[in-house]
Amino acid sequence: MKSVGIDAVEIWTGNLKLDLPGTFAEQMGDDPAKYTKGLGLNASSFPDSYEDIVTMGANAAHRLMERKGLEPDDIGRIDVATESAFDNSKPVSTYVAGCLEQVFEGDFHHANKGERKFACIAGTQSLDDAYNWIRAGRNRGRAALVIATDTALYARGDAGEATQGAGAVAMLISEDPDLVELSTEQGFGSADETDFLKPNQQFPSVDGKRSVQVYLARMREALVDYQREAGTITVDDFRYAPFHTPFPGMVRKAALLAYRHITRDTEIEDELAEDIGRQPREEAFDDEEAFHDAIREYMDALKGTDRYQEWYANTIEPTLTISREVGNWYTGSVHVARASALKHAAENDIDMAGEALLVGSYGSGAQAEIHTEVVQENWHEEIEALNVDDQLEARYDINWEDYEEIHDAHNHEMDVDIEPLTTPEGEFVFDGWGRMGERKYRFVD
Ligand code: CAA
């Protein structure tokens, strides 16, 4: 069977940074610890006035194609996953291809282009589409370009404002990949939910607290479905578990739930039972409330055990490092978590070749997907090539007035023209409007 997966990845952050425990918390009158400890965030990435989902996606793809020495003819498919699209007909991938054709010889006229929408899970769905296309033998030896790009902005005053972010992840999907091979097995948890949606509006309508519960419920269903397909898994089967990270505090909750679920009826549960008792079983309770209270009590105790904390520190914490500095990138978020984990491994001389990852993707509305990945021999070279630390370091730290202006400048309902805060260099920029209301772009050397 063909080995198919992610051959290379590139990350492109918005060029601005909002300090959450500093600038944002102070303005909101909040304790900075709500951000650093509660949500687990230090900063959000923001797009400067000349950036948007196209520039960030094209910039990530440009870096990726240059680094891998690719020409447009090597790409048979371009899929953009986004929940920040500005056009209900013309897909963002056409704009991205137009940008790339400005800097590469040749064109993408024979590449199949599309746009995927299912909130944040669309990035993973695009990976799946590319995987299926290659496995079906329809790729004519070519690779697929998958770009997850979002400006995750909330309405001013919404609780979600604390979790904003902007950036893109470009991934090359190919046969015999250099980075990770994707599993054929998948598990899904999917239901018609109204926790987070944008009915023809730019900023989401969000029921924040409910969205957290829906994330957990769908992720649990996906895990059960995955195990039905792939068989029993243990918590030690995976070196890292990158999950969709709207904010690291969300993953803290999801990891605890996953650990409880996976260790049930295992030796680990038996060993932990000496300290914290066995997991409550529903059949042992007469009423649901008492059962839920017992579960909460067990989870609190589990969270405090050395065994869980060690697993969390090794398997989950390294996936959150980049997210803490950039906030939510919606479709790109789980792919940032994977990169973050592999970066941690490279920096700590952990040999990852042959190791497995448990990948949990999620999109509001709502659907979760669990699959696994096996890290490939050349992973180290691919991860070493990332310059994400330099990009994060180079961001311009905005003050509160800048933040208010830049939020307005990106608000589609407002007509605000502001001077950029940074100077673009070697990147695509938004260059005004065309005669049919289309966006125009140019490359700045
Ligand atoms: N010190 C330490 N911790 C503190 C603190 C302090 N001083 N103050 C608050 N906290 C903790 C809180 O206890 C809470 O942690 P727990 O949930 O573990 O108790 C955390 O900080 C956040 O505090 P609040 O719940 O009071 O924060 P909030 O009400 O302002 O909003 C939110 C939180 C609902 C998640 C909001 O940010 C939101 O609506 N976000 C957007 C929706 C979202 O991201 N949902 C996630 C699931 S949906 C999804 O994943 C799709 C997607 O990408 C959007």
Side-chain angles (χ1 to χ4, degrees), residues 171-189:
M171 292 169 278
L172 189 73
I173 316 307
S174 74
E175 218 173 311
D176 297 326
D178 280 339
L179 192 59
V180 292
E181 179 186 346
L182 304 190
S183 65
T184 309
E185 295 84 8
Q186 295 169 292
F188 291 98

Side-chain angles (χ1 to χ4, degrees), residues 92-103 108 113 428 441:
V92 172
S93 49
T94 58
Y95 285 95
V96 169
C99 287
L100 295 173
E101 284 169 356
Q102 292 181 32
V103 294
F108 295 95
K113 305 181 190 94
F428 295 101
Y441 298 93

Side-chain angles (χ1 to χ4, degrees), residues 14-57:
N15 286 334
L16 306 180
K17 163 190 164 181
L18 175 66
D19 181 333
L20 290 169
T23 312
F24 193 76
E26 189 188 330
Q27 199 66 33
M28 294 287 149
D30 285 335
D31 179 351
K34 171 178 171 180
Y35 300 88
T36 52
K37 296 208 165 65
L39 296 169
L41 290 167
N42 297 324
S44 302
S45 278
F46 266 82
D48 204 339
S49 55
Y50 57 85
E51 295 185 285
D52 65 15
I53 50 172
V54 173
T55 64
M56 295 187 300

Side-chain angles (χ1 to χ4, degrees), residues 189-208:
S190 191
D192 177 8
E193 299 277 6
T194 45
D195 52 329
F196 173 113
L197 56 157
K198 301 181 182 179
N200 285 326
Q201 62 197 43
Q202 182 189 4
F203 301 130
S205 299
V206 195
D207 183 342

Side-chain angles (χ1 to χ4, degrees), residues 31 33-34 37-39 120 154 158-160 163 195-196 206 208-209 211-212 215 244 246-247 250 252-253 328 330 362 364:
D31 179 351
K34 171 178 171 180
K37 296 208 165 65
L39 296 169
C120 309
Y154 289 76
D158 190 292
T163 66
D195 52 329
F196 173 113
V206 195
K209 302 284 181 217
S211 74
V212 169
Y215 176 122
H244 169 57
F247 53 93
M250 181 71 243
R252 196 174 56 221
K253 293 180 204 293
N328 195 355
Y330 287 162
Y362 174 74
S364 296

